[in-house]
């Protein structure tokens, strides 16, 4: 050191390696030395000389990282402090960068193409730190900017991921989000979409600037295959992106995928970072947040979002943020919106989910059952089915759909009511029955109303009786009919009235004559007669008046229009679904079958037919006799009707096969009602075949052929439903078919199903669960191996299967048959051989058929990934087959793989023999006194469950860690001694 505050470059680098040293003091001391030098060249060369020692180390050693940090701070310390705008205006002439900083940049840029990946990594790291250490408003020369830019654009394509990471980070301050043609942004987008390394993608996510161009790319990373990339993408969107910058679809997609992600960490990020950030931007208004999510079209996502928010709230916050309830604990009908009604529903359900702890809270946000029933009734009365003219008007259609949505949420709220009190429960049931009976109730609410009705009624017999009465009232409503007036009777009454009037006139004339003749006695008699005639006249007039009024009578009229049939079938289907599967079919259901369900099967309206098929299929699940009777009808519908109806019939068939098995088909085939159109001779042949036991197999085979044809259907929904049904049948053991499993594997890989996410997900889960369930399932997979691979290899160029990666299929089938993947119960089964043993024999046999075939290399690679058993006989057979293959296979790559595998089998056999002759001691003590486990990797059974290991002290751990740290001082000193 030349002075107390100055030190040599070597000493500065030596001290910089220690993390406890103050980097600022080192920088100040070395800078003081630098400023006193007139000729800076020697300083530059010596500085770079010692820097190179750190740049050749690729490993992230603490000493090297400290040196890099020191170099960055020292280099940027020469920058002028940030200037105000007035000072910048005064200095019109731009000053060049500091000579030392320019020298360091030039040195790094000249070194970025070095052959050593360590040097390239350190160059990018230093440039990143240099640019990051500069002031926020720092400026550099345009030429230097372009050189750095070009160098880093080259390095982001480096073959080493760590180099690409540092290069991507270094370009963070070089991007120009406002420029649509910015090369940095383009490079970042390319990395996000194509880089295979997750850490590189994470590095880009951490520094990419948000713009309309980059936002969709960052959004797409929320569906990345790696958990840590998805997590960072959510964090970036939460911290950098305003909720208004996202479309409704993007907001809903973020919440839908984030809240259902398989990773707990990502679900936590959504709940703790994304949702609070959005609420903060909306001033904490949850209703406004729901409005931003379009609740009406994305109700499920909105409800999941609310539940996630409620989990982080205290009891006081929940009650404080309750919806706009009045003193009746109801939202006024005029104030009901899609957002506040969903909020009210989810809040009530969340509180009710707390159990007994939430009863008092629930009373503060929901009224009693009777009050709510009247409230629900008053609102549902305002919701009516729209006519075709109203549906044609977009405004009326939108208003009608909004009302229906609000009605659905209000009906869902019934589940949160306390229906234990008899009066409230009866009132709720009365309102639900009234709404179901009214023809004005929209059809979209019938299913939901029936569901809540059956939820309150727990007894199946009472359920059947109640729904049957409602169906009867809907199909045969009571109407008032007026009877026409009887004209003959009216004419007779008019004649009688005329006669009485004439007699009255005659009697009055006679009375006048008697009075004139002073015959008072006769006059009295006439007056009494006139009174009687007038009474008779008045009676006739009353009768005429009554007969002229139409007679109104209440009569039941049958309705069979499509809307009525659909409503009744919907209620019937919901009833059958809610009934216990063990509840037998009673007379009431049988009457509904004969009068409603079966006649509707032939209805000309597809919606009615579809619901009738659903009812028929559900009904047959309760009775094996009904299933045998109507199985053939369901099979015919599955092949002949419209797509939606065929899918419903197919679901019913799959359910019946799952419940009763394929034995149901043999019983159906043997019954005379199954095939009524057959001739007597044909029926005798079938009976003979049944005696031989052939009918079940033939019938089952015909079903499998039908299902196999459905797998080739161009209708994706039918194809998906068939694949899902077959997966269920195979998993439950109703079907054991290697050919069918091969079809499912090929369907899963077929490019035509790429957009069918439900099918891909269903089969992906099925393959794993099916293969792990039992050894017999793995044997089916092993049996399907060669047919599947042959189909792919022989696929013509025009077939979509020609695009499938056969290597990937082989890897899948090998993993599915791996013995170690079996469940614990399946592994405990006593098997001397593994499925991989037989799979290896199959592949060896296939290779021996044609040793020059291209797929030989494929099988040779697969053989090296198999897990073989310890059976000596199996190993000897495999050795024999491999020895034959080694003699006939000419491909060098295949030959090396086969020879390596043959050597492994030989070594394994010799090692097993050696271990059986002298078994090793399980434990040995080394010089340090630490116990080590010594066991053969092939002897898994002899490994003890627990081994006592002496845990080193914390001081010993620290000392061992220090030994592993790299120290650059010996290298520097050695170089100094040599020089």
């Amino acid at each position: 050191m030349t002075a107390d505050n100055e030190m040599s470059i070597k000493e500065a680098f030596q001290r910089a390696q220690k993390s406890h040293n103050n980097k600022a003091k080192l920088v100040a001391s070395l800078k003081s030395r630098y400023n006193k030098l007139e000729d800076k060249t020697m300083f530059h060369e010596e500085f770079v000389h010692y820097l190179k020692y750190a740049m050749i180390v690729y490993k992230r050693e603490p000493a090297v990282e400290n040196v890099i940090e020191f170099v960055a701070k020292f280099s940027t310390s020469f920058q002028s402090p940030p200037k105000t705008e007035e000072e910048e205006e005064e200095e019109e002439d731009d000053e060049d960068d500091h000579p030392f900083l320019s020298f360091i940049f030039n040195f790094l840029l000249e070194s970025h193409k070095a052959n050593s990946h360590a040097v390239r990594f350190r160059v990018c790291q230093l440039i990143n730190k240099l640019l990051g250490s500069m002031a926020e408003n720092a400026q550099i020369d345009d030429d230097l900017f372009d050189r750095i830019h070009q160098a880093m654009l080259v390095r982001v394509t480096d073959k080493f991921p760590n180099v690409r990471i540092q290069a991507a980070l270094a370009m963070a301050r070089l991007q120009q989000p406002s420029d649509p043609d910015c090369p940095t942004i383009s490079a970042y987008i390319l990395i996000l979409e194509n880089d295979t390394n997750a850490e590189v993608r994470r590095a880009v996510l951490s520094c990419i600037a948000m713009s309309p161009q980059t936002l969709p790319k960052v959004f797409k990373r929320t569906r990345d295959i790696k958990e840590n990339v998805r997590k960072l993408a959510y964090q970036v969107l939460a911290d950098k992106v305003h909720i208004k910058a996202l479309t409704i679809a993007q907001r809903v997609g973020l919440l839908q995928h984030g809240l259902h992600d398989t990773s707990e960490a990502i679900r936590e990020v959504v709940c703790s970072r994304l949702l609070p950030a959005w609420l903060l931007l909306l001033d904490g208004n949850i209703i406004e947040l729901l409005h931003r999510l379009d609740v009406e079209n994305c109700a499920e996502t909105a409800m999941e979002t609310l539940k996630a928010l409620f989990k982080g709230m205290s009891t006081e916050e929940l009650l404080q943020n309750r919806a706009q309830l009045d003193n009746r604990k109801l939202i006024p009908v005029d104030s009901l919106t899609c957002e506040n009604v969903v909020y009210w529903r989810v809040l009530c359900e969340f509180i009710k989910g707390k159990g007994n702890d939430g009863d008092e809270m629930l009373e503060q946000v929901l009224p009693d059952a009777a009050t709510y029933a009247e409230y629900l009734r008053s609102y549902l009365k305002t919701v009516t089915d729209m006519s075709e003219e109203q549906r044609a008007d977009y405004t009326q259609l939108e208003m009608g759909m909004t009302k229906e949505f609000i009605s659905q949420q209000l009906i869902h709220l019934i589940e949160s009511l306390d229906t234990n009190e008899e009066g409230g429960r009866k009132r709720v049931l009365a309102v639900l029955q009234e709404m179901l009976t009214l023809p004005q109730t929209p059809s979209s609410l019938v299913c939901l109303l029936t569901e809540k009705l059956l939820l309150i009624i727990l007894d199946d017999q009472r359920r059947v009786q109640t729904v049957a009465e409602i169906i009867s009232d809907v199909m045969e409503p009571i109407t008032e009919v007026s009877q026409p007036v009887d004209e003959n009777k009216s004419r007779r009454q008019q004649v009688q009235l005329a006669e009485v009037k004439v007699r009255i006139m005659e009697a009055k004339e006679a009375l006048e004559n008697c009075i004139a003749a002073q015959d008072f006695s006769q006059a009295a008699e006439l007056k009494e007669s006139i009174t009687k005639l007038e009474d008779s006249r008045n009676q006739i007039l009353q009768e005429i008046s009554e007969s002229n009024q139409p007679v109104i009578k209440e009569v039941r009229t049958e309705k069979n229009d499509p809307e009525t049939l659909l409503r009744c079938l919907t209620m019937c289907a919901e009833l059958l679904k809610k009934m216990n599967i063990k509840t037998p079919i009673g007379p009431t259901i049988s009457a509904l079958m004969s009068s409603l369900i079966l006649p509707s099967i032939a209805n000309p309206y597809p919606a009615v037919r579809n619901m009738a098929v659903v009812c028929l299929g559900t009904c047959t699940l309760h009775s094996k006799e009904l299933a045998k009777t109507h199985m053939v009808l369901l099979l015919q519908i599955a092949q002949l009707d419209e797509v939606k109806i065929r899918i419903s019939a197919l679901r019913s068939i799959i359910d019946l096969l799952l419940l009763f098995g394929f034995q149901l088909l043999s019983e159906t085939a043997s019954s005379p009602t199954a095939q009524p159109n057959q001739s007597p001779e044909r029926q005798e042949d079938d009976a003979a075949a049944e005696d031989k036991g052939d009918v079940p197999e033939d019938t089952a085979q015909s079903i499998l052929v039908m299902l196999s044809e459905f797998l080739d259907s161009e209708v994706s929904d039918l194809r998906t439903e068939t694949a899902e049904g077959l997966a269920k049948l195979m998993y439950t053991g109703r079907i054991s078919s290697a050919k069918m499993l091969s079809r499912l594997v090929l369907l899963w890989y077929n490019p035509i199903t790429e957009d069918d996410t439900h099918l891909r997900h269903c089969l992906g889960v099925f393959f794993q669960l099916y293969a792990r369930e039992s050894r017999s399932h793995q044997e089916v997979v092993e049996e399907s191996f060669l047919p599947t691979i042959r189909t792919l290899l022989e696929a013509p160029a025009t077939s979509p299967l020609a695009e499938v990666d056969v290597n990937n299929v082989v890897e899948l089938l090998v993993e599915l048959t791996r013995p170690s993947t079996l469940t614990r119960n399946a592994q405990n089964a006593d098997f001397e051989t593994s499925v991989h043993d037989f799979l290896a024999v199959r592949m060896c046999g296939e290779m021996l058929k044609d040793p020059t075939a291209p797929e030989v290399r494929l099988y040779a690679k697969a053989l090296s990934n198999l897990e073989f058993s310890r059976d000596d006989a199996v190993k000897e057979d495999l050795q024999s087959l491999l020895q034959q293959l080694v003699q006939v296979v000419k491909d060098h790559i295949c030959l090396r793989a086969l020879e390596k595998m043959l050597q492994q089998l030989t070594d394994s056999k010799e090692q097993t023999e050696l271990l059986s002759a002298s078994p090793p001691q399980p434990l040995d003590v080394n010089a340090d006194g630490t116990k080590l486990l010594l066991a053969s990797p092939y002897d898994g059974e002899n490994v003890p469950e627990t081994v006592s290991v002496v845990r080193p002290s914390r001081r010993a751990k620290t000392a061992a860690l220090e030994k592993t740290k790299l120290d650059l001082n010996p290298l520097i000193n050695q170089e100094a001694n040599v020089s």
Side-chain angles (χ1 to χ4, degrees):
M1 295 178 60
T2 60
D4 292 340
N5 60 342
E6 297 178 10
M7 66 176 65
S8 65
I9 299 176
K10 177 181 177 181
E11 185 180 357
F13 271 88
Q14 288 175 335
R15 289 191 180 187
Q17 298 177 55
K18 307 299 181 181
S19 57
H20 57 78
N21 278 321
N22 192 326
K23 300 291 191 302
K25 289 184 178 180
L26 293 177
V27 169
S29 177
L30 195 60
K31 185 177 180 182
S32 175
R33 176 184 174 86
Y34 178 83
N35 291 332
K36 292 181 179 180
L37 296 175
E38 295 182 1
D39 186 7
K40 316 290 187 183
T41 307
M42 293 297 296
F43 185 94
H44 292 173
E45 293 179 357
E46 187 178 357
F47 191 91
V48 167
H49 171 76
Y50 289 113
L51 174 60
K52 290 180 179 178
Y53 289 107
M55 293 182 63
I56 61 175
V57 181
Y58 182 67
K59 190 176 180 181
R60 302 296 291 266
E61 293 285 350
V64 180
E65 297 301 316
N66 290 332
V67 169
I68 297 296
E69 188 70 27
F70 163 72
V71 171
K73 288 185 176 180
F74 179 75
S75 302
T76 54
S77 67
F78 293 100
Q79 265 207 321
S80 302
K83 299 178 181 178
T84 62
E85 295 181 359
E86 296 178 357
E87 293 176 343
E88 290 181 355
E89 291 177 358
E90 291 176 0
E91 297 184 4
E92 298 179 357
D93 298 332
D94 295 331
E95 296 182 359
D96 295 334
D97 295 321
H98 193 276
F100 182 82
L101 186 59
S102 300
F103 172 77
I104 289 295
F105 270 123
N106 290 331
F107 165 72
L108 294 175
L109 293 174
E110 290 172 359
S111 306
H112 87 91
K113 294 183 180 179
N115 293 331
S116 171
H117 61 279
V119 175
R120 300 198 302 273
F121 167 68
R122 295 299 176 182
V123 166
C124 295
Q125 184 188 25
L126 256 176
I127 291 178
N128 173 33
K129 288 186 176 296
L130 287 172
L131 294 176
S133 301
M134 290 182 177
E136 186 176 350
N137 58 348
Q139 297 181 358
I140 61 174
D141 183 67
D142 291 342
D143 181 58
L144 179 60
F145 177 92
D146 294 336
R147 290 175 60 200
I148 295 174
H149 205 177
Q150 294 302 321
M152 293 303 99
L153 286 174
V154 173
R155 291 280 66 83
V156 290
T157 61
D158 198 282
K159 67 178 181 179
F160 283 86
N162 282 338
V163 179
R164 300 201 298 273
I165 290 174
Q166 294 300 324
L169 295 174
M171 289 198 301
R173 299 192 66 176
L174 306 181
Q175 54 185 329
Q176 299 174 354
S178 59
D179 183 8
D181 299 324
C182 175
T184 301
I185 297 292
S186 301
Y188 279 168
I189 292 174
L190 191 66
I191 292 173
L192 287 177
E193 293 182 339
N194 300 307
D195 202 295
T196 57
N197 188 277
E199 293 303 317
V200 180
R201 300 197 297 273
R202 286 187 77 248
V204 172
L205 280 175
S206 66
C207 60
I208 191 171
M210 290 296 104
S211 68
Q213 184 183 5
T214 59
L215 179 57
K217 311 302 178 182
V218 175
F219 177 82
K220 191 176 180 181
R221 286 306 100 203
T222 59
R223 304 297 296 151
D224 197 279
I225 192 173
K226 292 295 182 180
E227 173 188 337
N228 55 358
V229 179
R230 299 199 302 274
K231 181 179 178 181
L232 183 58
Y234 276 103
Q235 292 174 347
V236 169
L237 290 172
D239 298 338
K240 297 183 179 180
V241 180
H242 197 287
I243 186 173
K244 294 181 180 179
L246 299 168
T247 64
I248 293 178
Q250 288 175 332
R251 297 170 200 157
V252 173
L254 282 175
L255 295 175
Q256 185 175 3
H257 296 138
L259 293 173
H260 294 90
D261 199 284
T262 55
S263 169
E264 175 65 26
I266 293 176
R267 298 197 295 272
E268 180 63 25
V269 166
V270 174
C271 296
S272 62
R273 296 279 294 271
L274 185 65
L275 287 176
W278 286 359
L279 275 179
L280 185 63
L281 295 170
L282 300 174
D283 299 328
N285 192 335
I286 299 180
I287 301 297
E288 181 64 22
L289 175 62
L290 294 178
H291 182 69
R292 302 283 181 181
L293 298 178
D294 190 12
V295 173
E296 191 172 348
N297 295 316
C298 309
E300 291 298 324
T301 303
M303 291 170 60
E304 293 290 337
T305 302
L306 288 173
K307 291 176 184 176
L309 289 172
F310 291 158
K311 287 179 182 178
M313 292 183 181
S314 62
T315 303
E316 293 75 14
E317 289 175 327
L318 286 174
L319 296 178
Q320 183 180 3
N321 295 331
R322 57 186 172 178
Q324 307 162 359
L325 302 180
D326 57 15
N327 54 1
R328 299 176 301 162
K329 304 168 191 173
L330 296 168
I331 301 178
V333 173
D334 298 338
S335 302
L336 280 171
T337 63
C338 296
E339 291 78 22
N340 61 20
V341 74
V342 168
Y343 184 93
W344 188 24
R345 172 196 169 185
V346 177
L347 178 63
C348 294
E349 291 178 353
F350 181 80
I351 296 175
K352 189 175 181 63
K354 292 179 176 289
N356 296 331
D357 298 336
D359 289 344
E360 294 183 4
M361 293 175 58
L362 193 61
E363 292 177 358
Q364 300 183 46
V365 296
L366 199 63
D368 60 274
T371 303
Y372 185 80
E374 291 299 328
Y375 173 76
L376 177 64
R377 179 178 179 274
S378 64
Y379 187 81
L380 292 181
K381 285 275 190 179
T382 65
V383 184
T384 58
D385 237 342
M386 289 182 289
S387 63
E388 292 298 328
E389 295 180 357
Q390 291 175 325
R391 291 182 180 275
D393 186 351
Y394 180 77
T395 304
Q396 293 190 15
L397 176 63
E398 187 177 9
M399 292 177 57
M401 293 176 66
T402 300
K403 280 192 172 184
E404 286 187 15
F405 178 81
I406 295 175
S407 302
Q408 291 172 358
Q409 305 310 311
L410 293 176
I411 295 170
H412 276 297
L413 263 170
I414 293 176
E415 290 189 40
S416 302
L417 294 174
D418 182 10
T419 54
N420 294 325
E421 193 267 323
E422 183 69 19
R425 183 172 65 254
K426 285 185 177 180
R427 187 57 195 151
V428 173
L429 287 174
V431 169
L432 291 176
Q433 287 176 292
E434 179 186 358
M435 291 299 103
L436 285 170
T437 306
L438 288 177
Q440 293 84 7
T441 303
S443 302
S444 58
L445 302 179
V446 172
C447 180
L448 196 55
L449 289 167
T450 309
E451 178 188 340
K452 303 309 173 187
L453 176 72
L454 300 175
L455 189 67
I456 299 175
I457 304 174
L458 302 179
D459 182 64
D460 278 347
Q461 297 300 328
R462 191 179 166 204
R463 284 174 170 177
V464 172
Q465 180 183 356
T466 304
V467 174
E469 290 175 358
I470 297 174
I471 290 176
S472 176
D473 291 341
V474 172
M475 292 196 67
E476 297 180 355
I478 297 176
T479 56
E480 295 180 346
V481 179
S482 60
Q483 293 183 346
V485 178
D486 189 350
E487 295 182 359
N488 294 328
K489 182 179 178 180
S490 178
R491 191 177 299 110
R492 288 195 300 269
Q493 289 173 341
Q494 292 293 338
V495 171
Q496 291 177 1
L497 179 62
E499 292 177 354
V500 171
K501 286 181 177 180
V502 170
R503 291 172 61 184
I504 291 174
M505 291 175 64
E506 291 177 350
K508 285 182 177 182
E509 185 177 354
L511 177 62
E512 291 176 358
N513 294 332
C514 290
I515 293 173
Q518 297 185 352
D519 187 356
F520 296 106
S521 59
Q522 183 67 26
E525 293 178 358
L526 288 172
K527 189 175 181 180
E528 183 178 354
S529 174
I530 290 171
T531 302
K532 292 180 179 180
L533 287 172
E534 287 179 347
D535 291 341
S536 176
R537 183 193 63 184
N538 292 336
Q539 183 178 359
I540 294 173
L541 286 173
Q542 185 177 358
E543 290 179 356
I544 292 174
S545 176
E546 291 177 354
S547 62
N548 287 336
Q549 293 180 357
V551 178
I552 299 176
K553 291 186 178 181
E554 292 183 349
V555 297
R556 288 188 176 272
T557 56
E558 184 176 357
K559 297 175 66 177
N560 58 358
D561 57 286
E563 290 77 13
T564 302
L565 291 176
L566 188 58
R567 294 165 73 92
C568 295
L569 287 170
T570 302
M571 288 186 279
C572 186
E574 198 62 35
L575 169 65
L576 292 169
K577 291 176 184 177
K578 294 295 181 182
M579 283 175 56
N580 192 322
I581 192 68
K582 296 181 181 179
T583 302
I585 297 297
T588 306
I589 298 295
S590 299
L592 289 174
M593 277 283 292
S594 58
S595 63
L596 176 63
I597 298 174
L598 290 176
S600 299
I601 294 288
N603 195 280
Y605 293 91
V608 176
R609 290 203 308 276
N610 182 58
M611 193 55 67
V613 170
V614 172
C615 291
L616 177 61
T618 313
C619 196
T620 52
L621 294 174
H622 293 267
S623 170
K624 191 173 183 180
E625 295 301 319
L626 277 178
K628 291 190 290 185
T629 302
H630 299 292
M631 185 64 169
V632 173
L633 175 60
L634 290 172
L635 289 170
Q636 292 174 347
I637 295 173
Q639 299 178 75
L640 300 176
D641 216 315
E642 293 187 6
V643 172
K644 186 177 181 180
I645 305 173
R646 292 172 65 189
I647 291 175
S648 299
L650 179 61
R651 288 174 181 166
S652 301
I653 294 169
I654 297 295
D655 290 341
L656 290 175
L657 294 178
L658 287 170
L659 184 61
F660 300 115
F662 278 82
Q663 184 65 25
L664 178 68
L665 298 174
S666 63
E667 297 173 4
T668 303
S670 61
S671 62
T673 58
Q675 296 174 339
N677 296 329
Q678 287 186 351
S679 62
E681 294 81 6
R682 177 60 179 168
Q683 293 181 3
E684 291 176 4
D685 294 341
D686 288 347
E690 183 183 355
D691 293 338
K692 296 178 184 179
D694 294 334
V695 170
E697 288 78 3
D698 292 346
T699 311
Q701 187 65 27
S702 63
I703 295 292
L704 293 178
V705 169
M706 180 191 75
L707 296 177
S708 181
E709 292 175 353
F710 287 170
L711 289 178
D712 295 328
S713 173
E714 295 181 357
V715 182
S716 61
D717 292 339
L718 182 62
R719 186 174 59 231
T720 301
E721 197 65 40
T722 305
E724 186 175 350
L726 285 171
K728 292 177 181 178
L729 291 171
M730 294 189 71
Y731 183 72
T732 55
R734 294 299 187 184
I735 297 177
S736 181
S737 171
K739 182 178 179 181
M740 197 59 68
L741 181 65
S742 175
R743 291 293 308 277
L744 293 178
V745 172
L746 294 172
L747 184 65
W748 193 48
Y749 276 99
N750 200 319
I752 64 173
T753 63
E754 185 177 0
D755 297 331
D756 196 340
T757 54
H758 180 73
L759 173 66
R760 291 286 181 100
H761 177 72
C762 172
L763 292 180
V765 173
F766 161 69
F767 291 142
Q768 298 183 44
L769 296 178
Y770 179 76
R772 294 174 182 174
E773 184 67 20
S774 68
R775 163 70 181 261
S776 59
H777 289 177
Q778 285 196 341
E779 291 174 352
V780 175
V781 178
E782 179 262 332
E783 188 179 347
S784 68
F785 180 85
L786 285 182
T788 305
I789 302 304
R790 285 173 185 160
T791 303
L792 292 173
L793 293 174
E794 297 171 1
T798 57
S799 172
L801 293 177
E803 303 175 14
V804 177
D805 184 3
V806 185
N807 289 287
N808 191 275
V809 180
V810 171
E811 291 174 3
L812 170 70
L813 297 177
V814 168
E815 286 300 318
L816 292 179
T817 53
R818 195 172 295 281
S820 58
T821 61
L822 286 171
T823 57
R824 187 175 298 274
N825 293 333
Q827 287 180 351
N828 292 337
D830 188 15
F831 292 107
E832 295 182 356
T833 59
S834 69
V835 176
H836 275 187
D837 296 339
F838 299 103
L839 185 60
V841 173
R842 286 181 183 271
M843 286 193 283
C844 290
E846 194 70 13
M847 294 166 71
L848 286 171
K849 287 182 181 179
D850 186 4
T852 61
E855 59 268 20
V856 171
R857 182 178 295 185
L858 183 71
Y859 295 134
K861 180 182 177 182
L863 281 172
S864 61
N865 294 325
L866 300 181
E867 291 181 7
F868 300 114
S869 64
R870 302 173 189 167
D871 186 77
D872 293 335
V874 172
K875 291 182 179 179
E876 291 177 358
D877 292 341
L878 287 176
Q879 283 181 337
S880 176
L881 289 170
L882 289 172
Q883 288 171 355
Q884 297 179 41
L885 285 170
V886 168
Q887 295 176 0
V888 296
V889 172
K890 303 301 181 184
D891 186 84
H892 294 294
I893 297 177
C894 296
L895 196 58
R896 283 199 300 270
L898 294 173
E899 289 174 347
K900 182 178 179 180
M901 186 176 178
L902 185 60
Q903 184 64 34
Q904 289 176 351
L905 285 174
T906 305
D907 294 344
S908 174
K909 183 178 179 182
E910 292 176 354
Q911 193 170 13
T912 305
E913 293 175 354
L914 180 61
L915 291 173
S916 61
S918 57
Q921 297 295 326
L923 292 176
D924 190 12
V925 181
N926 62 5
D928 296 333
T930 305
K931 295 182 179 180
L932 300 177
L933 181 64
L934 298 177
S936 169
Y938 303 98
D939 192 9
E941 297 179 355
N942 295 330
V943 177
E945 294 182 0
T946 58
V947 180
S948 59
V949 179
V950 179
R951 296 184 62 185
S953 65
R954 180 171 296 181
R955 183 176 297 176
K957 290 181 178 178
T958 305
L961 185 61
E962 288 295 332
K963 290 180 181 179
T964 63
K965 292 184 177 179
L966 179 65
D967 188 4
L968 296 178
N969 291 332
L971 292 175
I972 296 175
N973 294 331
Q974 181 182 0
E975 180 67 21
N977 294 332
V978 172
S979 60

